Amino acid sequence: DDDDGNKGKVQIGTVSGTSITMHTPVDVFGEAITTGWITYCANSDNNYAAVCTYSNSPFDANCRIGKYSTNSGGSTTWPNSPVVFDASAKAICTTSCWDSTANKLVIAYGRYNSTERGTIIAGTIASDAVTFGTSQEFDSSRTDRLDNVIHNPDTGKNMIVWCEGSNGTNYNTMAREATLSGTVFTFGPEAFVGRNSEGTLVVTNHCSVAYDSDAKKFMIIYSNSTVAPVEGMSAVLDIASDGTITSKGWYSFRKGIDDMQNAVAKMV
C-alpha cells in the first residue's frame, strides 16, 4: 500500500454472480515490503501463507500464516507473528504454492544477496504458525524475473519455471521438477522450454506456469524478448518418466505487446 508506507495488505473479496464486494484491507506485516505473494494452504485449518521481503535493511524474507474469519465481515486473522525464512536474503521474484502431497508450503525466490540464485524452501504449518527447513538452490545463476512454483497433485511433484539471468543462459525460460520429502527437495534435470513458433530457443522474460488437472498437463506463457515490442508465447510441457522436460505446441497468443517484457503475467 503506497499510501501507507508500502505496507503489505491482504483484502478479502466476496463474489456474488459477476460482482465482487471488497472488505477491509488488513496490514499483515506492519513493515514496508516488496515482492509479496499469498497462497491458500488446503490443510485442516484452511490457512493462508503470505510471504514477502522487508524493504529495509537487513531485508529479511518473511512468512506469516493467517486464516479466513467468518465472524469478522469477510476478513483474515493472523494469530502468530511473521517468521523469517531467509535472513538478509533480499529475496526477489518470490512465489509460493501448497504441496498437497507433502502437506508443506513451498516458496521459490531469487536470493538477491547471493547473486540472485534460484532458491527454494519448504515450511511446515501447524497451529496457525510455520517452521522452515533449510533452503536449497535450484539454479546457481541469476533468476531475476519470476520464480514460479506450482504443485502437481497427480504426481506429487512440484514444477519450477523461471527465467535465467544475464550470467546464466542469457534469459532463457527454464523448468525442472522438485520432489519434496520432509523439508528436503530432490530435483529433476533442467530444461530449456522458452521457444518460438518454430521451436527455436529464444530470449525470454517473465514467465508463468499453470497445471490443468483435466488434461494432466502443464502450460507455460512467456514473452519472446527482453525489449519491446514483444510477442506473448504459450507452450505445453511434456515430462518423461526420468523427469526430462520438453516443451511443444509453441503458440503466439499476442503480438506486439508494449512493455510485456517488464510485466508479470500469471496464469491460474
Side-chain angles (χ1 to χ4, degrees):
D1 187 346
D2 181 67
D3 292 329
D4 189 19
N6 291 320
K7 291 179 180 177
K9 305 288 182 73
V10 170
Q11 189 171 12
I12 295 292
T14 300
V15 178
S16 177
T18 58
S19 64
I20 184 168
T21 302
M22 302 306 299
H23 301 281
T24 304
V26 177
D27 181 3
V28 176
F29 295 100
E31 301 278 349
I33 73 159
T34 61
T35 62
W37 201 265
I38 191 167
T39 293
Y40 172 64
C41 307
N43 57 3
S44 59
D45 290 321
N46 299 303
N47 287 125
Y48 289 86
V51 296
C52 75
T53 292
Y54 287 173
S55 298
N56 301 314
S57 182
F59 307 108
D60 292 337
N62 282 266
C63 176
R64 193 172 186 186
I65 304 302
K67 62 200 314 180
Y68 177 72
S69 175
T70 58
N71 299 319
S72 58
S75 187
T76 52
T77 58
W78 302 85
N80 293 290
S81 300
V83 174
V84 176
F85 64 86
D86 197 336
S88 305
K90 204 173 185 180
I92 61 173
C93 310
T94 305
T95 64
S96 58
C97 74
W98 178 249
D99 184 328
S100 58
T101 303
N103 287 318
K104 304 289 183 183
L105 174 69
V106 178
I107 305 173
Y109 56 101
R111 200 175 194 280
Y112 185 89
N113 284 344
S114 296
T115 59
E116 302 167 16
R117 294 180 179 184
T119 309
I120 194 167
I121 193 169
T124 303
I125 300 174
S127 302
D128 303 324
V130 64
T131 56
F132 286 96
T134 302
S135 65
Q136 297 172 246
E137 288 183 7
F138 63 83
D139 192 327
S140 60
S141 300
R142 293 175 62 187
T143 61
D144 55 359
R145 294 300 185 268
L146 192 65
D147 294 319
N148 301 273
V149 62
I150 191 167
H151 185 62
N152 180 347
D154 295 316
T155 64
K157 299 180 179 182
N158 301 287
M159 179 66 73
I160 314 170
V161 177
W162 72 99
C163 183
E164 244 186 13
S166 56
N167 70 334
T169 59
N170 196 26
Y171 304 107
N172 285 129
T173 292
M174 312 284 292
R176 76 187 314 178
E177 288 186 312
T179 305
L180 188 56
S181 177
T183 56
V184 178
F185 295 93
T186 55
F187 301 105
E190 287 188 344
F192 297 87
V193 293
R195 301 174 181 271
N196 61 19
S197 299
E198 289 73 42
T200 303
L201 282 174
V202 291
V203 171
T204 61
N205 202 16
H206 285 305
C207 51
S208 183
V209 59
Y211 181 68
D212 186 326
S213 58
D214 291 330
K216 301 189 184 307
K217 294 285 186 180
F218 287 98
M219 183 178 181
I220 58 172
I221 59 172
Y222 49 95
S223 61
N224 70 341
S225 177
T226 58
V227 294
V230 302
E231 188 172 346
M233 298 292 300
S234 67
V236 174
L237 301 184
D238 275 345
I239 303 119
S241 58
D242 64 355
T244 301
I245 300 170
T246 55
S247 61
K248 67 178 184 180
W250 313 282
Y251 178 75
S252 171
F253 64 86
R254 184 73 183 272
K255 296 183 178 181
I257 306 176
D258 290 336
D259 214 37
M260 182 180 171
Q261 74 279 2
N262 296 317
V264 176
K266 183 66 180 174
M267 291 191 296
V268 294

